[in-house]
Amino acid sequence: MVLYIFYKNKRNKTSGFFFRYNNGIINVMETIIRKVDKNQIEKEVIEQAGRIIREGGLVAFPTETVYGLGANALDEEAAKKTYEAKGRPSDNPLIIHIADFGDLNRIVQNISKKAMDLAEAFWPGPLTMIFEKSDLVPYGTTGGLDTVAVRMPDDSIARELILEGGGYISAPSANTSGRPSPTTAKHVEEDMSGRIDMILDGGSVDIGVESTIVDMTTEPPMILRPGAVTKKMVEEVIGEVQIDKTLLGEETDEAPKAPGMKYRHYAPKAQLKIVQGTLKDEVNAIKQLAYEKTKKGKKVGVIASTETVSRYTTGLIKTIGTRENQSSIAKNLYKVLREFDDENVDCIYSESFSVDGIGSAIMNRLEKAAGHQIIDAHEIASKQKFRRVVFVSKSDNSRGPMAAELLRNQDLIQEYEIESRGMIVLFPEPANQKAEAIMKSHQMTLEGHETVAFSEDDLDEDTLVLTLEENQKWKIVTDYEYVKHVYTLSEYVEIDKEIPSAYGQPLVEYGKSFEILKEMIKKLAEKLNEEAKK
Ligand code: AMP
Ligand code: MG
């Protein structure tokens, strides 16, 4: 039986009263939440947190990678509580965090010269090393292994807590097992409220993906999990290192060397798929996938970058960071995945990112979150002959916008940008009122339309240009260089009729133009759909 009551009081923000019914005894757990300023750490708060750890309790705290769920690493019972709070399989070992290099030799055996050099180069920092464990370390902490993972974090709150908590704090990421790792105290609260004793809120973390893990018990040492310390950085210090084959996405029956890497970690609730190819193909493929799913009534999430975000129109679109600075992507990755959870999307499509530097960690986490479902962007994008349809009339105020609006109202299996242009447009004007009256009588509207002059920008390999009259086609063909996809509408849809301009004539004439356009646009939609099926 589990029952939550939430309340807040003024001094200590407290959330989630958690009553657990165990063997007839009701356990009441109240999670204390305290803000901590990295630059001015309140001694009293750290003392309280340290005391909880020493007494066998659980305290979540910020590190430079992600928030950790801290417990006394030398206390088997505390390890049990950690697994229980996270819902983590107990064969998935914990990393022991230390704050003083001198504390290392009490928990490990055989510290190699290479390990010393790596510690010298990257500690404190986002690097975890695996050693043979000493007898001091309980099997409860190492998931039954004779080896132990150790890291010295750089975050000042983490360091003070470790020292105050007895020097050895096991700290897996402070999320429910299977959810994206927490990068803010709010994320921890979402998952752990009522399940742990305390949360230290030190704001957003710096890096956003978990530490690099290097197994120092093999020769050469082996990277088991990519992180902010890259293979290249490690090799610059100690020479050749191997990389766990299972990380490279190659087909293999072997289990990953780090037990935790086999679980479908870091996962959002919705099915995530990574779309991979050239950036242009990725964008076009995601647009198409989002369009198809949305048509089927699904709520679609799109993971875009600063460079591409403006290209998307369909779905719930989130920017994960800029391709110019991969660290920004690492920092936002889990936050974005959690946001999609909050918004209850049905599926998520993500662009893929460079595997340079921290990029290998980003793509590793993203691929795991996607359960390795990767879509070939080229396969989808190359099916699209056109991505844009532009109707060209004389002044872009009646037949052109009518044609565009008619096409937008067709059932198209591909998403197109549909626009209209005029050969003679001196300044922007709204649509002709009679044209609008006709459209209204057919439950459509030209409201908001503004006339735009045709220009060279309307000619490219992705754009189908359809003129309403023969003379507009010839003017374009003679005046411009790139004229590969320029047709008259009548010629393209093979309906040998003129579409008369009704300008200056009574409403009925507009009605006649509309009827001809309607017939042609219906045929156009059929033709475009045929093309898209190929
Ligand atoms: P987390 O605590 O969530 O960052 O996950 C810790 C990761 O370190 C998991 O993937 C574990 O499998 C891995 N790990 C911890 N200890 C060992 C060890 N002794 N040998 C191999 N991997 C380990
Ligand atoms: Mg984790």
Side-chain angles (χ1 to χ4, degrees):
M1 182 187 77
V2 174
L3 172 68
Y4 286 95
I5 300 173
F6 290 94
Y7 84 96
K8 278 179 191 173
N9 73 26
K10 256 197 224 144
R11 217 176 92 73
N12 281 8
K13 190 182 163 210
T14 308
S15 95
F17 250 10
F18 189 65
F19 292 79
R20 255 176 306 181
Y21 196 71
N22 274 342
N23 308 324
I25 305 159
I26 295 176
N27 298 333
V28 179
M29 166 114 24
E30 147 192 350
T31 303
I32 304 161
I33 301 174
R34 294 298 303 263
K35 275 210 166 13
V36 186
D37 179 350
K38 274 187 201 354
N39 304 312
Q40 215 180 339
I41 301 173
E42 263 182 76
K43 206 166 175 337
E44 172 246 327
V45 178
I46 293 294
E47 278 171 5
Q48 184 184 8
R51 200 178 320 122
I52 293 172
I53 299 270
R54 286 196 311 277
E55 289 169 359
L58 303 181
V59 177
F61 61 98
T63 79
E64 70 274 34
T65 58
V66 300
Y67 270 74
L69 179 55
N72 179 357
L74 307 183
D75 173 355
E76 196 131 22
E77 285 304 310
K80 263 196 205 135
K81 280 193 203 166
T82 306
Y83 288 110
E84 204 179 288
K86 278 180 64 73
R88 174 165 170 150
S90 59
D91 69 340
N92 186 356
L94 309 176
I95 296 173
I96 300 187
H97 292 65
I98 58 172
D100 187 339
F101 188 75
D103 289 341
L104 181 64
N105 57 22
R106 288 186 61 216
I107 52 170
V108 311
Q109 305 180 56
N110 302 326
I111 306 171
S112 65
K113 165 87 171 52
K114 285 183 181 177
M116 303 269 276
D117 290 347
L118 285 181
E120 172 77 28
F122 301 113
W123 279 3
L127 174 75
T128 295
M129 286 190 273
I130 292 174
F131 300 93
E132 283 167 47
K133 81 174 193 69
S134 77
D135 292 341
L136 198 61
V137 180
Y139 283 111
T141 299
T142 68
L145 298 175
D146 288 316
T147 53
V148 62
V150 187
R151 173 165 108 86
M152 190 194 291
D154 186 31
D155 185 280
S156 55
I157 300 169
R159 294 172 62 78
E160 289 213 14
L161 178 67
I162 294 164
L163 295 174
E164 196 65 40
Y168 302 99
I169 293 191
S170 58
S173 49
N175 53 298
T176 303
S177 199
R179 290 214 69 200
S181 295
T183 54
T184 65
K186 187 182 134 267
H187 297 161
V188 179
E189 200 181 335
E190 282 167 14
D191 287 13
M192 292 293 152
S193 194
R195 299 177 154 264
I196 63 175
D197 299 279
M198 190 175 193
I199 300 171
L200 299 180
D201 178 356
S204 289
V205 302
D206 281 341
I207 296 175
V209 292
E210 300 84 348
S211 60
T212 307
I213 301 180
V214 186
D215 185 352
M216 304 307 293
T217 67
T218 64
E219 186 47 48
M222 186 188 275
I223 294 182
L224 306 188
R225 176 172 80 182
V229 175
T230 62
K231 180 168 187 267
K232 187 159 165 268
M233 288 158 74
V234 173
E235 285 187 330
E236 271 165 19
V237 179
I238 60 165
E240 193 203 343
V241 292
Q242 301 166 273
I243 188 150
D244 184 354
K245 277 208 292 289
T246 63
L247 297 179
L248 302 173
E250 288 168 14
E251 286 292 318
T252 158
D253 293 336
E254 274 175 56
K257 302 272 185 303
M261 297 294 278
K262 70 174 177 281
Y263 295 108
R264 187 174 168 240
H265 247 176
Y266 323 118
K269 290 177 202 153
Q271 178 59 60
L272 166 69
K273 291 185 178 169
I274 302 170
V275 179
Q276 210 158 42
T278 63
L279 190 54
K280 187 178 176 210
D281 281 350
E282 284 178 13
V283 172
N284 288 323
I286 292 174
K287 276 168 77 92
Q288 177 61 19
L289 291 163
Y291 176 75
E292 284 170 13
K293 287 278 184 201
T294 305
K295 258 179 58 162
K296 287 185 189 149
K298 299 276 186 235
K299 194 168 173 188
V300 183
V302 172
I303 298 183
S305 48
T306 311
E307 288 75 11
T308 54
V309 65
S310 65
R311 299 277 328 277
Y312 297 102
T313 44
T314 310
L316 186 62
I317 302 144
K318 290 190 187 289
T319 306
I320 194 170
T322 163
R323 289 169 181 277
E324 304 252 301
N325 174 11
Q326 293 246 90
S327 301
S328 68
I329 298 173
K331 206 166 169 163
N332 288 324
L333 175 65
Y334 291 137
K335 178 173 130 261
V336 165
L337 294 180
R338 276 180 182 259
E339 283 171 6
F340 280 127
D341 275 355
D342 295 343
E343 315 240 17
N344 283 315
V345 295
D346 299 302
C347 52
I348 307 167
Y349 296 105
S350 176
E351 296 175 0
S352 54
F353 303 96
S354 151
V355 292
D356 284 349
I358 198 169
S360 68
I362 295 169
M363 287 310 290
N364 167 261
R365 307 307 192 274
L366 207 52
E367 283 176 20
K368 278 167 67 77
H372 296 277
Q373 292 214 51
I374 296 174
I375 294 176
D376 180 354
H378 182 72
E379 204 177 306
I380 294 170
S382 62
K383 279 193 191 147
Q384 305 181 325
K385 190 163 173 206
F386 301 114
R387 300 200 171 86
R388 197 162 161 252
V389 180
V390 173
F391 294 97
V392 182
S393 62
K394 187 172 160 209
S395 48
D396 189 32
N397 70 5
S398 73
R399 286 170 301 171
M402 273 170 143
E405 194 54 24
L406 276 162
L407 185 60
R408 287 187 201 109
N409 279 278
Q410 297 288 318
D411 190 12
L412 297 168
I413 55 182
Q414 192 199 307
E415 182 179 46
Y416 299 90
E417 277 173 55
I418 301 168
E419 284 163 318
S420 63
R421 298 286 185 257
M423 295 306 285
I424 306 166
V425 176
L426 300 179
F427 47 86
E429 270 186 304
N432 176 294
Q433 285 187 2
K434 287 181 190 163
E436 169 67 345
I438 295 290
M439 292 300 276
K440 279 255 165 75
S441 70
H442 292 88
Q443 287 75 49
M444 284 177 273
T445 178
L446 304 178
E447 215 176 279
H449 175 72
E450 275 199 345
T451 57
V452 177
F454 182 84
S455 78
E456 195 162 13
D457 296 344
D458 298 312
L459 294 165
D460 62 41
E461 55 172 344
D462 292 339
T463 307
L464 173 63
V465 176
L466 298 171
T467 69
L468 298 191
E469 290 174 17
E470 190 83 30
N471 67 61
Q472 290 135 13
K473 173 181 161 183
W474 292 118
K475 177 114 179 75
I476 293 171
V477 168
T478 16
D479 286 2
Y480 296 95
E481 263 172 36
Y482 191 95
V483 291
K484 214 166 148 193
H485 309 304
V486 183
Y487 306 88
T488 68
L489 174 58
S490 138
E491 158 190 40
Y492 196 73
V493 300
E494 296 168 89
I495 295 177
D496 192 13
K497 285 185 190 170
E498 285 197 18
I499 314 157
S501 162
Y503 183 70
Q505 298 184 51
L507 197 60
V508 290
E509 297 303 318
Y510 283 85
K512 285 182 192 162
S513 298
F514 176 89
E515 289 306 325
I516 298 170
L517 278 173
K518 196 172 126 187
E519 181 192 350
M520 290 185 174
I521 297 297
K522 186 163 174 279
K523 186 94 185 284
L524 173 62
E526 284 163 15
K527 191 161 171 178
L528 290 172
N529 282 345
E530 283 298 311
E531 288 279 356
K533 269 188 216 152
K534 272 184 200 160

